[in-house]
Structures are given as structure tokens and as C-alpha cells.
Amino acid sequence: MTSDLKSQYCTRFSSEKQIFVCDPIPLFMSEKVTPEHLQQVHKQALETFNKIETLESLQVFTGNLVGKKSAMGDWFKQLKALDVEAKKELGPKLQEFKTYWEQACLDKQNQLETQALNQKLASDFIDVTQAYPSQKGALHPLSQVQRHIESIFTGMGFEIADGPEVETEWHNFDALNVPANHPARDMQDTFFVNSKNDRSDLNSVLRTQTSNIQIRKMLENGAPVRIIAPGRVYRNEDVDATHDAMFYQVEGLVVDKDISVSHLKGTLETMLSAVFAKPMKIRIRPGYFPFVEPGLEVDIWWEYIDKNGEEKGRWLEFCGAGMVHPNVLRNSGVDPEEFTGFAFGFGLTRLVMMKYGIEDIRLLSSNKREFLQQF
Ligand code: PHE
């Protein structure tokens, strides 16, 4: 009898290939089945049965007790071999045992399955009505300032213009009064895309300045013209905290009758005061750019608090500007006898750095969330 009741351990391989073992379940086998034996097994089975908590254990239990190759299957075989009297005594008991345990196993299976399902439902439950802490995206600081500048200029009657970043050498240099071999082509560390042709309108460069838009706009629409052109420019620079091989500029061009340097000054002061939300002072001094005559440098009066907490101010270079060179007007089909104009080009990237106190230009193209989340 004791050997009949030895336990069977159930091992299974789950999908993660982990072995897992169920509770020890007796085999319930016996060499000779008798009514007393049935009683004993019933008691033992109840004990085991009440402890079963998993479907796996129940499956083994059911298999051992009432399944095809179970103890009970064996007892029914033994029953056939008994004489009539013994059959009469044992038969109904065996049947009763069978009915009881088949039902009990089925009930327990339902109960465990429902329990498992409820557990899964509880753990899978998602409350779609619950507020989820979401993170809002925002425009990149460059885009924010660019949009602000665009709205300031459109408020002054300017149009926003755009043009190619891969530009002909002609639009980027020749038409802007920068002749071949002029040092200005090197001054701007040009990336040449294709420079094998002897005609500059067949060669291409990554534009080194947004000034190409001056030419394109005047060729397209003639004069008068009043535009700004924000966009990317490229220079073959060694990258460090203040230099990048790609940065943003904003070009400005006004060509009309009787345009003078004072229009330029007023326009830039208005724009800067709006960007920094306080009156900004600028100064103008001579500078050199082949496409303007006179060429000008514009400085901005920059107020800041120094390390000792003292209020300080100093002049900072802000942009190149000037009165559009007659050759540039001519190259763009505009009569310099009839029209004059001013142009400027400032670094939008640098302006953003000044506005927010960003000390490393590389942060602006780094995609670092800790950095971008501040704007
Ligand atoms: N294109 C010049 C630069 O990139 C700036 C500039 C624009 C100067 C227009 C004068 C007039 O440095």
C-alpha cells in the first residue's frame, strides 16, 4: 500500500524553458482493490485535493486518480476479474467513487480556471479614464526665435523668402559681386559640391550665406522688394563651442526708391528690441563685404551681470550689412540708377545663444532632452 501511494512530481517546460514543479501528487495505485482500500484512498485523495492550488497540479491529480491510465482504470480492470459476490459489493462503491471524483475534479478545474482568468483580468486591467502624466513637446529654441523674428518682420511689411541650400556658385558668389579667385570665397570656407565646370552657374556649393536669396528674389520679382530669408548655411569650420559647420542665418533685403542706411538702422533696432523685449541699442561702423557699398558692421549694446553681480555692458558684433552694391542690383536685373537698397545678414543661431545664454553651439543640434526641455 505505501508503495502505491508514492508521489509523482510533475515537471513542465514553460515557454521560457524554465522547469517548474507542481505539488507532490500520489499515484493512488494498489495491487488489490477492496472497499476498505477505496475508503483509504478517498481520504488520502481528499487531503491532497484540498491542498491543490494550481491547474497543473490538478491535471496530474486527475490523471493519477480518474484518467485512462489511472489507479481507477486499473481497479475497474480488477473488478472484471472478481466473482459475482465480490463484484456486487465493490462495483457500486467503485462507481460511486468514480462519479464523485470525476465531478470534484471538473468543479475544481472550473474554479481554478475562473480564478486564473480573474487574476489575468486584474493584472491586465488598464484604466483608460485615468489621467496619464504626459510630456508636452515644444518647438526647438531655434524655431521659436525664427518664428518670432518672422512675425516681427511680417509686421513691418516684409515677406518671408526661401531658397536652395545646394546653390550654384554663381548665386552664392559671382552674382554677389565676388569674382572668381576673390579671397572672399576662401573667407567663407566653402564646401564645394561640384566645381569642375568653367561656368560658375554649372558648379554647386553648399550655400555659405543666405545672401543667395537676394539674387534669387530680385531675379524673380524685380524691385521693389522687402524680404527676410531665414535658413541654414554651411561652412567648413572646425567645430567647437562657438563654431559649427552648419548654422542658421537670417538675410534681410529692402530695395526701393530712396532707401538709406537710417532705414537699415531703424529696422534692426525694431527687430532686436522685439526679440529681447526691451529697447536695444546698436551702432554701425564700416565693414567689408563685396556685395554691399558701403559695407557695414552692426554692433549691439549688450548688458549683462558679471561674476561679481555688477551690471555691465559692452559692444558685441551682431551682423554684416550695407547698401546693396550696384553690381548686385545689375546682376539681378534691377536698375541701380532707379533703386537703392540695404541688406543685412545675421546669425540666427548666435542670436538664440545670446537670448538664452547658451554657451555651446553644439547643444542646439545635440537633441539632448535635458537641454531642450528648458524651452
Ligand atoms: N552674407 C554675409 C555673411 O554671411 C552677411 C551680410 C549679408 C553682409 C548682407 C552684408 C549684407 O557674413
Side-chain angles (χ1 to χ4, degrees), residues 278-345:
K278 63 176 188 188
M280 297 297 283
K281 250 196 309 188
I282 61 171
R283 77 172 180 191
I284 284 175
R285 56 191 170 85
Y288 169 72
F289 301 95
F291 30 92
V292 277
E293 182 57 42
L296 306 168
E297 293 276 357
V298 180
D299 297 335
I300 183 171
W301 181 249
W302 190 247
E303 287 169 346
Y304 61 99
I305 313 265
D306 76 359
K307 280 182 201 133
N308 307 320
E310 275 176 52
E311 279 182 30
K312 290 266 168 76
R314 66 185 164 111
W315 289 107
L316 279 188
E317 264 184 36
F318 174 63
C319 76
M323 299 306 290
V324 182
H325 197 290
N327 287 350
V328 173
L329 293 174
R330 241 175 257 123
N331 289 339
S332 312
V334 172
D335 182 0
E337 301 297 325
E338 199 184 347
F339 290 100
T340 50
F342 70 75
F344 61 83

Side-chain angles (χ1 to χ4, degrees), residues 238-254:
D238 289 335
V239 176
D240 61 26
T242 51
H243 298 90
D244 207 343
M246 184 282 288
F247 56 96
Y248 286 75
Q249 280 191 336
V250 177
E251 191 80 7
L253 173 71
V254 172

Side-chain angles (χ1 to χ4, degrees), residues 215-286:
I215 308 299
R216 287 193 170 269
K217 217 48 209 180
M218 285 192 282
L219 281 175
E220 200 180 304
N221 292 339
V225 52
R226 198 184 300 180
I227 54 134
I228 58 155
R232 291 191 187 97
V233 299
Y234 301 83
R235 293 186 191 177
N236 192 3
E237 304 248 24
D238 289 335
V239 176
D240 61 26
T242 51
H243 298 90
D244 207 343
M246 184 282 288
F247 56 96
Y248 286 75
Q249 280 191 336
V250 177
E251 191 80 7
L253 173 71
V254 172
V255 177
D256 209 331
K257 300 209 162 134
D258 304 322
I259 295 294
S260 72
V261 173
S262 58
H263 293 117
L264 166 71
K265 189 163 187 268
T267 304
L268 287 177
E269 268 171 356
T270 306
M271 186 271 293
L272 287 167
S273 302
V275 167
F276 291 102
K278 63 176 188 188
M280 297 297 283
K281 250 196 309 188
I282 61 171
R283 77 172 180 191
I284 284 175
R285 56 191 170 85

